[in-house]
């Protein structure tokens, strides 16, 4: 069974109505409907950072976190097997810290804290469908059909493909993130696809012995967000140029 959570835009009909509600796997929705004798549970609190003021309009953005984390440290040797062997222990430690700071839930929370509708030029009533389980990295480019069972006519996918820490002798430390956005038409074919890296420098990560580990991990989350904003800006430019040339 495909596991995902649904974040639904609801009309703010009253002051008490939540801006967003969380729902369980849609395949279990029927079982979750309360009977007349059983009062409905109170709606969940809205997700922090997401405050839509319009009702859902039928458009969906499905979001998947990255499966793969990687760390590459290169010294004066400039890479290669010897360089990899010399830094294997440090890279293993960095990957563990990456997985701690940017696990699937943390990636999703970081993205949902941004204004994805504005960043990706989506309609104001777009519904977010959040998938907890990453897609297999090797299938990222091979599968050209929708990665969910949704039949929505207005449908897009945002996939985090890679989270990559790099330390280079010349360029210093950075976090790079590979994102893919796919927009489908009503015939369920890809109408637009944009895959690219976002990358920014790091000052605190990885923490040295005695340094503030929490601050270093928080920096990773902040740079992850900055990477997405950089990616989204380039995506909007690419999409606008594509429209202009039609």
């Amino acid at each position: 069974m495909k596991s995902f959570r649904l974040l639904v835009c609801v009309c703010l009909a009253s002051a008490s109505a939540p801006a967003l509600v969380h729902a369980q796997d849609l395949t279990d929705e029927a079982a979750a409907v309360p009977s007349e004798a059983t009062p409905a549970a109170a709606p969940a609190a809205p997700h922090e950072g997401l405050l839509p003021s319009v009702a859902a309009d039928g458009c969906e953005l499905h979001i998947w976190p990255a499966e793969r984390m990687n760390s590459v440290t290169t010294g004066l040797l400039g890479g290669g097997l010897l360089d990899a062997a010399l830094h294997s222990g440090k890279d293993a430690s960095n990957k563990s810290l990456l997985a701690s700071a940017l696990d699937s839930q943390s990636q999703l929370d970081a993205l949902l804290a941004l204004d994805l509708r504005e960043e990706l030029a989506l309609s104001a009533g777009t519904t977010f469908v959040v998938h907890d389980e990453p897609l297999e990295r090797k299938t990222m480019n091979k599968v050209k059909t929708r990665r969910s069972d949704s039949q929505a006519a207005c449908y897009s996918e945002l996939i985090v493909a890679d989270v990559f820490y790099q330390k280079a002798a010349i360029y210093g430390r950075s976090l790079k993130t590979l994102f893919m956005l796919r927009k489908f038409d009503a015939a369920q074919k890809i109408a637009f696809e944009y895959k690219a890296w976002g990358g920014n420098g790091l000052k605190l990560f990885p923490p040295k012995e005695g340094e503030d580990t929490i601050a270093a991990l928080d920096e990773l989350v902040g740079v992850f967000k900055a990477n997405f904003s950089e990616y989204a800006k380039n995506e909007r430019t690419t999409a606008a140029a594509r429209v202009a040339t039609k």
Side-chain angles (χ1 to χ4, degrees):
M1 180 183 294
K2 297 181 179 179
S3 173
F4 57 86
R5 294 176 289 118
L6 180 65
L7 302 179
V8 186
C9 299
V10 296
C11 184
L12 299 181
S14 68
S16 61
L20 287 170
V21 295
H22 295 261
Q24 299 299 319
D25 190 332
L26 289 184
T27 58
D28 297 329
E29 266 194 341
V33 174
S35 65
E36 292 183 1
T38 305
H47 192 288
E48 182 180 357
L50 292 171
L51 299 172
S53 57
V54 296
D57 59 10
C59 291
E60 295 178 359
L61 174 68
H62 288 245
I63 310 170
W64 284 268
E67 174 191 45
R68 190 163 69 185
M69 304 271 175
N70 202 8
S71 172
V72 174
T73 301
T74 56
L76 296 176
L77 296 176
L81 294 177
L82 180 56
D83 217 352
L86 290 173
H87 299 103
S88 60
K90 185 61 176 176
D91 282 327
S93 175
N94 290 342
K95 286 175 67 175
S96 178
L97 289 172
L98 279 173
S100 174
L102 290 170
D103 60 5
S104 293
Q105 187 61 56
S106 297
Q107 292 177 53
L108 295 172
D109 287 345
L111 291 172
L112 293 172
L114 301 171
D115 189 344
L116 295 180
R117 297 174 183 86
E118 181 176 353
E119 295 267 21
L120 297 175
L122 303 172
S123 67
T126 297
T127 295
F128 299 141
V129 183
V130 183
H131 299 257
D132 297 312
E133 294 296 325
L135 299 171
E136 285 189 86
R137 180 62 178 84
K138 63 183 180 181
T139 69
M140 200 79 55
N141 297 315
K142 294 180 180 179
V143 178
K144 300 300 182 182
T145 55
R146 295 185 180 191
R147 303 307 298 263
S148 80
D149 295 331
S150 173
Q151 300 297 309
C154 178
Y155 175 95
S156 301
E157 296 177 345
L158 173 61
I159 302 169
V160 187
D162 287 304
V163 178
F164 175 46
Y165 166 77
Q166 182 178 31
K167 180 181 180 181
I170 298 177
Y171 300 106
R173 297 171 288 173
S174 63
L175 181 73
K176 298 181 179 180
T177 318
L178 182 62
F179 299 96
M180 176 189 285
L181 177 70
R182 308 197 305 176
K183 296 183 178 181
F184 289 74
D185 58 24
Q188 300 196 15
K189 293 183 178 180
I190 298 175
F192 175 75
E193 179 177 295
Y194 184 71
K195 180 180 178 183
W197 291 90
N200 286 276
L202 295 164
K203 295 181 179 179
L204 303 178
F205 184 89
K208 296 179 181 178
E209 186 175 352
E211 293 182 342
D212 189 344
T213 301
I214 299 300
L217 299 183
D218 287 344
E219 180 187 43
L220 284 175
V221 176
V223 173
F224 177 87
K225 293 179 181 179
N227 288 353
F228 177 78
S229 293
E230 178 184 312
Y231 162 84
K233 179 180 179 180
N234 293 332
E235 182 274 327
R236 293 194 304 270
T237 300
T238 300
R242 181 173 178 269
V243 171
T245 56
K246 284 188 175 181

